[in-house]
Amino acid sequence: MNTRLPPVLLHALTGLSQIAACSCLLCRQASPEAVCAACLQSSLARSGKACLQCGIALSTAGQRCGACLQHPPAFDITICATDYQPPQDQLVLALKFAHQLPLAVLLARAIRDAILRQPGLVLPDLICPVPLSPQRLQERGFNQALEIARPLAAMLGVACLPYAIHRVRHTQQQAMLAPADRRRNIAKAFSPAADYLPQLQGRHIAIVDDVITTGMTLHEIATMLKRYGAKQVSNYVFARTPPHFE
């Protein structure tokens, strides 16, 4: 296990390793599946209104939050399956740090269901995962965004381009930085692969990731894609960090 992880993550992963293989990852009750039917319904279906653009929960009327109205991000739409809080945060931790790769299909299914719940939503032309740097990919052994994007694309009947976007420089993990430092950390970190440029121009592109917090990474990718001719950029994300964690 990566000892550089903060204590809260180490504690959570220790708990995950103690759950029996026949138990639900969320409620820890006996279950033939990784997540039992009751938790699928109660924990993986977001309730209440959310900002159409950034996915943050809304407590007032309107389609967009105040931050998106005042300083619109480069992306156009964000669809989130659930909130990044207990117990559903355990699924992300198990996928990313305990290498429970089969959970990626479960996360993809939750995102698909959230997409289908949106009335009149137009599906994208292409799906691309948020890329990892070669260094981070070597450390982790896989890209969790790609593991989610592939089954999600198949479920939606949309083409997936796993390598159309490159992370051109290694960055610190956004989750380890204060919100004020995240924009500088991620600036100019992404570039389109030259061979894919014709396929990106004039298209509606969906970016897939596991968690959105401040949205700086997704904003930077959307900015780059629109600079190279993308018509629209949507985000398909499993979990949205509540505002009190940002």
Side-chain angles (χ1 to χ4, degrees), residues 185-227:
N185 180 58
I186 207 70
K188 298 181 180 179
F190 302 97
S191 175
D195 292 345
Y196 288 94
L197 275 176
Q199 298 182 61
L200 301 178
Q201 293 172 359
R203 312 299 288 278
H204 174 191
I205 302 169
I207 306 302
V208 173
D209 207 359
D210 56 339
V211 179
I212 176 174
T213 303
T214 61
M216 284 295 101
T217 297
L218 294 166
H219 168 75
E220 189 66 25
I221 291 175
T223 299
M224 179 274 295
L225 287 172
K226 289 189 174 181
R227 185 186 308 127

Side-chain angles (χ1 to χ4, degrees), residues 1-20:
M1 187 177 294
N2 187 350
T3 56
R4 292 177 296 174
L5 293 173
V8 64
L9 277 184
L10 290 173
H11 176 75
L13 292 177
T14 300
L16 284 173
S17 66
Q18 295 171 347
I19 300 175

Side-chain angles (χ1 to χ4, degrees), residues 79-81 106-117 148 152 156 208-210 235-239:
I79 303 296
C80 301
L106 177 65
L107 271 57
R109 190 179 300 124
I111 297 172
R112 182 221 36 206
D113 292 345
I115 293 168
L116 296 180
R117 284 194 294 268
I148 298 169
L152 177 61
L156 296 176
V208 173
D209 207 359
D210 56 339
N235 301 323
Y236 293 164
V237 185
F238 173 67

